[in-house]
Amino acid sequence: MTKTRVRAALSLPLSVFLALTGCYAQDGATDPEEVRELAGGTRARQSREGAEEHLRSVVRAYDRKTPLTLGLVTLDDTCAGGAAEEWLSSSDDDRYRIRCTLRVSAYYGADPKRIGTVLEGIFTAGDKKPAAGGGAAGTIPFGHDDHRRRLVAYYEGRGPNPTGPGTPEPAQVSDPSQTLSWDTVRGDSPTRAEEPALPTAGDPPVSRHLREPASTTVADVRARHGMVFRLELSAVDYFSVSKDGRSVETWD
């Protein structure tokens, strides 16, 4: 409790203070058993399956439609209960009974001598929009624009660094749904995709932590192909229930 709250509390009658601090400490936190029950329910399961298939379809699209070769996928799926409502303040965490979030990253191999060709293939795939009504699953958002054309020219030795003279080697493209980054291949101090944390033991349906294949490392992918591209998909909140039960959000 902050000093401001302590001063305010000291000005209240003792009985009122005890009642309020009791609410502050206990009221509103979701019981772990309720979290497990909600996470294992039909609506959560269906939403989980839909969100996971969407994210995996994006991962597969890079493998199938670009020169990249998929080597490793990590998945973290966690359902968390809402926090207790704090006295005299509020946060997003105290407005829901449960919120489930899915995070997926993928690591691909590529030939560092052909990075310009690889990027050109990615941007060409990104130029191809899905058919009407086909949904967003499986799409690659990075089509050609002026910066990306200059990025390809830079890696093919046909143009300067598109971010300006004296700036670091560009090694990332991003949009709100995903970030694609890669090992730098120029200069004396290369930066490389780091190893993901080893998955902790899961506790389905409340949590799952996967590494596929389980024994593969980023170093393995790099040794096999020469360099690594990392695709980080933005976290998806696929299922949540408000504390009043009136709002239930699921993956569409």
Side-chain angles (χ1 to χ4, degrees), residues 17 23 32 71 79 117 129 135 161 168 251:
F17 171 70
C23 291
C79 293
T117 302
K129 304 303 180 185
N161 187 331
W251 174 260

Side-chain angles (χ1 to χ4, degrees), residues 34-97:
E34 183 181 7
V35 173
R36 179 170 295 278
E37 180 180 357
L38 289 169
T42 300
R43 295 188 73 178
R45 176 179 55 79
Q46 292 175 341
S47 189
R48 179 180 297 116
E49 291 172 354
E52 182 172 339
E53 173 54 28
H54 166 72
L55 296 179
R56 287 185 180 274
S57 74
V58 177
V59 170
R60 292 192 300 267
Y62 278 88
D63 185 51
R64 295 174 178 174
K65 301 178 181 179
T66 80
L68 298 175
T69 301
L70 181 62
L72 174 65
V73 177
T74 64
L75 180 148
D76 290 283
D77 176 14
T78 304
C79 293
E85 185 175 351
E86 297 185 6
W87 181 42
L88 299 182
S89 71
S90 182
S91 69
D92 186 56
D93 289 345
D94 64 25
R95 296 190 179 109
Y96 63 85
R97 291 163 62 193

Side-chain angles (χ1 to χ4, degrees), residues 93-125:
D93 289 345
D94 64 25
R95 296 190 179 109
Y96 63 85
R97 291 163 62 193
I98 186 174
R99 180 162 59 192
C100 299
T101 303
L102 189 61
R103 294 176 175 83
V104 172
S105 294
Y107 300 81
Y108 303 83
D111 183 350
K113 297 178 182 179
R114 299 179 60 251
I115 185 170
T117 302
V118 171
L119 289 171
E120 175 66 23
I122 293 169
F123 302 151
T124 297

Side-chain angles (χ1 to χ4, degrees), residues 101-176:
T101 303
L102 189 61
R103 294 176 175 83
V104 172
S105 294
Y107 300 81
Y108 303 83
D111 183 350
K113 297 178 182 179
R114 299 179 60 251
I115 185 170
T117 302
V118 171
L119 289 171
E120 175 66 23
I122 293 169
F123 302 151
T124 297
D127 289 336
K128 300 175 182 177
K129 304 303 180 185
T139 61
I140 298 169
F142 308 119
H144 283 92
D145 61 14
D146 180 65
H147 172 76
R148 293 169 194 154
R149 289 187 179 89
R150 290 189 290 121
L151 187 63
V152 170
Y154 166 75
Y155 276 112
E156 290 183 341
R158 299 185 288 103
N161 187 331
T163 58
T167 59
E169 176 183 344
Q172 176 180 297
V173 290
S174 64
D175 89 331

